[in-house]
Amino acid sequence: MTYAIAPHANACVPVAGTDMRFPVHRIYCIGRNYADHAHEMGSVVDRKNPIFFAKPADAIVTSNGDVPYPPMTNELHHEVEMIVALATGGRDIAVDDALEHVYAYGVGLDLTRRDLQLIAKSKGNPWDTAKGFDCSAPVSDLHRVRDIGHPDCIGLRLSVNGEMRQQTELGNMLFSVAEIIHELSRFYELKSGDLIFTGTPAGVALLNRGDHFHAELAGVATLEGRII
């Protein structure tokens, strides 16, 4: 095949304990999946209408890399989340079958230009510029289900400069992993290589240049990085 221009390298994430890398197809995110975060943002929790949005696959930052402070914002916020990586996909996946599609888990940050998001929300506009910017998705190495099983009711934490900012347990998610996969598959044909960010708890706050963050999915994955 001859390309008109040089093709870009595919985004991929290291698989823990191996020399393999997980090729990323799409990044899906769910909003308002922890009631305390929805409340701190002044939003209403509605289990009948899950809120989904996306980030570009090449927004990932891997291997505990530095994260550049993005342009066009003065309010960069952290949102720590468990990440789900899919080995297989499909449409209209049943809740009871959903976990069979999961390849691995990790932890990451859904970085958000909060000022842009609030302006967009006030005008009824899309959130794209607030969520889908360059380097907006730092992610840990992925840990395979075959090695760790499916995480259940374990801790999810984020500290910044040694200060705990966000802390919860996965059992507090309003939509479980299986339910998220089911609901997403009603809107999209999920495919191998998809990453799913599963929502953030309360405590979202500012990140500044020079800040060091440490995210942890207890006993499973850790992620560190610095805002530069």
Side-chain angles (χ1 to χ4, degrees):
M1 179 182 295
T2 301
Y3 293 97
I5 60 173
H8 295 283
N10 291 332
C12 56
V13 184
V15 178
T18 77
D19 59 0
M20 298 185 296
R21 299 183 75 87
F22 180 88
V24 180
H25 175 244
R26 291 179 179 172
I27 300 176
Y28 297 104
C29 308
I30 184 171
R32 304 177 191 174
N33 200 31
Y34 288 86
D36 57 358
H37 173 59
H39 293 156
E40 77 175 346
M41 298 303 295
S43 301
V44 176
V45 173
D46 183 2
R47 274 190 52 85
K48 294 181 180 179
N49 295 290
I51 295 175
F52 295 116
F53 58 94
K55 291 175 179 279
D58 63 0
I60 61 171
V61 178
T62 62
S63 303
N64 296 327
D66 290 341
V67 179
Y69 195 97
M72 303 300 292
T73 184
N74 293 309
E75 294 184 22
L76 178 66
H77 275 204
H78 56 71
E79 299 189 11
V80 66
E81 312 202 6
M82 180 175 70
I83 298 169
V84 178
L86 299 186
T88 54
R91 294 184 185 274
D92 298 315
I93 298 170
V95 172
D96 291 344
D97 299 330
L99 294 185
E100 297 175 9
H101 297 273
V102 178
Y103 175 75
Y105 292 89
V107 66
L109 297 185
D110 165 19
L111 295 179
T112 303
R113 293 193 275 207
R114 188 70 69 201
D115 44 0
L116 300 190
Q117 185 188 36
L118 294 177
I119 291 170
K121 289 170 67 174
S122 70
K123 296 181 178 180
N125 292 337
W127 301 354
D128 296 58
T129 58
K131 291 288 191 177
F133 53 93
D134 299 337
C135 301
S136 61
V139 297
S140 71
D141 290 0
L142 297 175
H143 295 256
R144 296 177 295 179
V145 170
R146 60 180 287 183
D147 299 325
I148 64 167
H150 294 283
D152 183 30
C153 294
I154 62 174
L156 175 67
R157 297 184 283 270
L158 175 73
S159 61
V160 178
N161 302 328
E163 174 192 1
M164 189 66 65
R165 292 277 187 91
Q166 293 183 267
Q167 185 168 240
T168 192
E169 290 191 353
L170 300 184
N172 292 324
M173 290 195 300
L174 299 175
F175 290 87
S176 67
V177 171
E179 290 171 329
I180 293 170
I181 293 171
H182 164 70
E183 294 290 347
L184 266 175
S185 73
R186 297 173 62 207
F187 291 94
Y188 308 97
E189 180 180 1
L190 300 180
K191 295 188 177 183
S192 60
D194 287 341
L195 292 181
I196 303 172
F197 280 62
T198 58
T200 197
V204 300
L206 287 173
L207 285 169
N208 297 302
R209 294 170 181 84
D211 282 350
H212 178 271
F213 57 82
H214 179 93
E216 179 181 6
L217 183 60
V220 175
T222 60
L223 169 69
E224 296 194 36
R226 188 168 59 100
I227 306 298
I228 60 171

